[in-house]
Structure formats: structure tokens, C-alpha cells
């Protein structure tokens, strides 16, 4: 398999989370009724998935360093498939949340392996550019997943969404047969607790990796808040749900594609961190415009969608470049580093957003205010960054 196809496959692996989350968003109101559950608990199907994905990465990262990228990826995709089948037949919100955690645990192998495989092949600015390319491919998920989910739910019911995700996982397993093993050398002791502790200390002792791994959790909380809140906001503030909501929401995926195309050029011209700062400024501007239209009484579904799309052009510039800053110094333990990065960013953001969705509820103003606070904190952190030594 040629390198460009390996990067493309990694992009599809990255999209497994966006597909798993975004494809369910249009069905939230129906799931509330069918599972006889409060809207907040249905929103937690996102954060429970992200918690599972974050915890799972700690396991899969070390496993991929010990046994190889391909075996770890195969086991994770099989677990994800099992979780999807369980969710398709879940009879209660409690069982649904458990199956979403299981899906997240399995999908974590895809998240870790995709970043580790790219780090196995590239370093420096080439690493950042290829992560940006894989992230642009990942944007296929946010574009098509809501539309696909709405279409499947309308034709066959929301449970068939999870059956479709199991078919997607099976397809990734079939393609995996062609993927070469990229791990340069297996680490026989990678699963030992002492080694885990030693590697954690090494990563956190590195000023660059430590700084950007925690920044990633702040940045990821912004998009996770959008994913968890928009179905409720579009339904209550604008009267849109189901397929109509999916059409509006799909536009933000186009923003991701445009942003990652720009990111590859920005990295070459102004560098990785400066590209992150420029993108974070766009995030702040987008949310301030959102608040301005809300206070002026002019906010509607079209304006909200346009501003979320603008936001999406820059969110993943910050997030994917943060991944490059964390991974680059640790090529010999790429699997573990990718796992630690994913764990901190996903668990940290999921816990934060689980609280925020309860506080903000269906308030458009509360949602925008919380989003602005997150973006201002991340911008301040980027401006405060000073390279060491």
C-alpha cells in the first residue's frame, strides 16, 4: 500500500468517531421518546462514547507498541463492531450508554493507531502536514454522517444507524488486511505498569508535549460542546430536527475541509504554532459574532450554521497541530504518546462538557457564552507559549 493511501486510510480511521457521534445527532428527539429518557441523558451518549474512547486509548497505545499497529487495530475494530450491534438492540438508556462506552473503547484503537501510523512514517513539518491531510479526510464524517443518519432513521429507524456503523467497522477490518505494519520495532515491555509510569513521566517532563497535551483538552471541549448542544438548540430555538437539522449541520464539515487545506499552507509559511494562533483568533471572532447576533435578536438557523461552519474551519487547525506538537518529540513511543494525548483531550473535554450541557440547557446565549470562554482560554494559552531550549 502506497504512503498516500496509508494516510488516507488513517483519515478514515480518524473519522470513525465523527461518524459514530454525528450520525446519531438528528435522531436525538426520537431517541428521547423511544428510550423514555431525559434529553440530557441522550446527550450523554456522546460524552459516554468519548469517555470510553479516552480510557481505551491508554490500553491500545501500549498494546500497539507491544504487538504492532495492525493487531491492536483489528481487536479494537472488532470491539467497536460488537458495541454497535448492542446499541442497535438497546432497550433502555442505561444499556445504550453502556454500549456507547463499549464503542468508544473499541474506536480508541482506531484513534491511536491512525496517529501512531502517521508518526511512524513522518516527523517534523511533514508530520503536521500529513496529520492535516488525514484530518481533512476525517471531515467526510461531519459532512455526510448527519445526512446519512437522518436518511437511515427516516427510512428504517434510528436503530439501523448502529447496524450501519457495524458494517462500516467490518469494511475497515477488510481493508486492514492490505495495510503494512509500520511499527519499526516492537517493545516487549510496553504493557508493564512500570514502563507505563516511566513513559508518562517522560512525556509530562517534556515542556512542549506537556503544554500541548493539556491545551488539546481545552480545544476539544469547544467542538464537543457544539456536538452535544446543537441538536437541542436547533430544535428548541429554531424548530429544526431530523433531516432538516442534518442538512444544516452537515455544512460544518465543509469548514473542516477548507480549514485543513489552509492549514497545510499555513504550516509551511508561518509555522505550526503561529497557524494555531491565527486559527484560534478565528474561533474567538466566530463566537463573538454569534453572541452579537443573539443579543441583537437577529440569530436564526442560517446565521448559526454559517458561524459554526466558520468555527469549524479553524477548530481542527488548533487540535491537529497540537497533536503534532505532542507526538513529534516521541517517535520511539508513538503509540503510547498518541494514546496519552487522546486520553487527556477526550476525558478532559468529555467531563467538562458533561457539566456544561446541564448548565447551558437549551439556551443559545448560555451555549455561546460557554463556547467563548473555552476559546479565550485556549487563545491565552497559545499566546503564552514560549519554546524551551
Amino acid at each position: 500500500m502506497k504512503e498516500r493511501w496509508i494516510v488516507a486510510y488513517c483519515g478514515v480511521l480518524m473519522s470513525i468517531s465523527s461518524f459514530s457521534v454525528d450520525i446519531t445527532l438528528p435522531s436525538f428527539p426520537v431517541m428521547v421518546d423511544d428510550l423514555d429518557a431525559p434529553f440530557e441523558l441522550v446527550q450523554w451518549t456522546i460524552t459516554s462514547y468519548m469517555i470510553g474512547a479516552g480510557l481505551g486509548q491508554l490500553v491500545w497505545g501500549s498494546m500497539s507498541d507491544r504487538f504492532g499497529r495492525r493487531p491492536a487495530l483489528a481487536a479494537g475494530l472488532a470491539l467497536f463492531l460488537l458495541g454497535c450491534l448492542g446499541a442497535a438492540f438497546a432497550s433502555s438508556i442505561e444499556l445504550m450508554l453502556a454500549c456507547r462506552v463499549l464503542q468508544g473503547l473499541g474506536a480508541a484503537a482506531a484513534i491511536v493507531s491512525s496517529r501512531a501510523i502517521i508518526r511512524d512514517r513522518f516527523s517534523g513539518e511533514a508530520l503536521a502536514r500529513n496529520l492535516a491531510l488525514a484530518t481533512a479526510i476525517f471531515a467526510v464524517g461531519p459532512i455526510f454522517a448527519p445526512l446519512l443518519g437522518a436518511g437511515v432513521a427516516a427510512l428504517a429507524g434510528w436503530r439501523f444507524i448502529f447496524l450501519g456503523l457495524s458494517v462500516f467497522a467490518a469494511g475497515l477490518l477488510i481493508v486492514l488486511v492490505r495495510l503494512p505494519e509500520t511499527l519499526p520495532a516492537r517493545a516487549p515491555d510496553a504493557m508493564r505498569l512500570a514502563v507505563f509510569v516511566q513513559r508518562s513521566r517522560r512525556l509530562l517532563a517534556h515542556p512542549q508535549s506537556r503544554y500541548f497535551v493539556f491545551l488539546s483538552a481545552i480545544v476539544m471541549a469547544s467542538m464537543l460542546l457544539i456536538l452535544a448542544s446543537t441538536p437541542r438548540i436547533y430544535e428548541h430555538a429554531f424548530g429544526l430536527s431530523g433531516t432538516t437539522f442534518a442538512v444544516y449541520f452537515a455544512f460544518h464539515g465543509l469548514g473542516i475541509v477548507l480549514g485543513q487545506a489552509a492549514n497545510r499552507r499555513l504550516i509551511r509559511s508561518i509555522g505550526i504554532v503561529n497557524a494555531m494562533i491565527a486559527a484560534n483568533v478565528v474561533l474567538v471572532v466566530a463566537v463573538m459574532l454569534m453572541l452579537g447576533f443573539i443579543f441583537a435578536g437577529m440569530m436564526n438557523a442560517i446565521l448559526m450554521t454559517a458561524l459554526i461552519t466558520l468555527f469549524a474551519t479553524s477548530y481542527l487547525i488548533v487540535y491537529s497541530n497540537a497533536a503534532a506538537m505532542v507526538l513529534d518529540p516521541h517517535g520511539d513511543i508513538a503509540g503510547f504518546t498518541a494514546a496519552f494525548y487522546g486520553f487527556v483531550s477526550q476525558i478532559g473535554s468529555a467531563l467538562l462538557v458533561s457539566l456544561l450541557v446541564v448548565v447551558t440547557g437549551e439556551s443559545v446565549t448560555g451555549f455561546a457564552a460557554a463556547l467563548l470562554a473555552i476559546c479565550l482560554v485556549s487563545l491565552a494559552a497559545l499566546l503564552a507559549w514560549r519554546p524551551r531550549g
Side-chain angles (χ1 to χ4, degrees), residues 277-299:
I277 293 172
N280 209 137
V281 170
V282 174
L283 299 182
V284 171
V285 169
V287 184
M288 290 184 71
L289 286 171
M290 192 182 296
L291 280 168
F293 283 119
I294 291 169
F295 289 132
M298 300 170 60
M299 181 57 75

Side-chain angles (χ1 to χ4, degrees), residues 14 57 111-112 114-116 118-119 122 124 127-132 135 203 208-209 211-217 219 260 263 272 276 315-331 334 337-342 345 382:
M14 288 181 181
Q57 288 182 65
I111 300 168
V112 168
S114 59
R115 295 186 184 125
I118 294 175
R119 179 59 187 88
F122 306 100
L127 169 63
R129 290 196 302 271
N130 280 283
L131 279 172
T135 304
L203 194 151
Q208 176 176 305
S209 297
Y211 200 87
F212 285 94
V213 79
F214 289 112
L215 174 66
S216 69
V219 175
Q260 289 307 302
N263 190 22
I272 297 173
M276 296 171 73
Y315 150 72
L316 276 175
I317 292 179
V318 183
Y319 188 70
S320 68
N321 288 7
M325 295 294 286
V326 174
L327 285 166
D328 196 34
H330 308 286
T337 306
F340 196 93
Y341 169 82
S345 63
L382 284 169

Side-chain angles (χ1 to χ4, degrees), residues 123-170:
S123 62
E125 287 194 359
L127 169 63
R129 290 196 302 271
N130 280 283
L131 279 172
L133 176 59
T135 304
I137 296 168
F138 146 91
V140 170
I143 293 172
F144 292 109
L147 297 172
L148 184 61
V152 170
L155 291 173
W158 63 267
R159 294 181 184 277
F160 278 81
I161 290 172
F162 293 102
L163 293 176
L165 284 173
S166 66
V167 173
F168 177 48

Side-chain angles (χ1 to χ4, degrees), residues 333-352:
I333 53 169
F336 174 84
T337 306
F340 196 93
Y341 169 82
F343 169 77
V344 173
S345 63
Q346 292 190 216
I347 294 296
S349 61
L351 293 176
L352 176 60

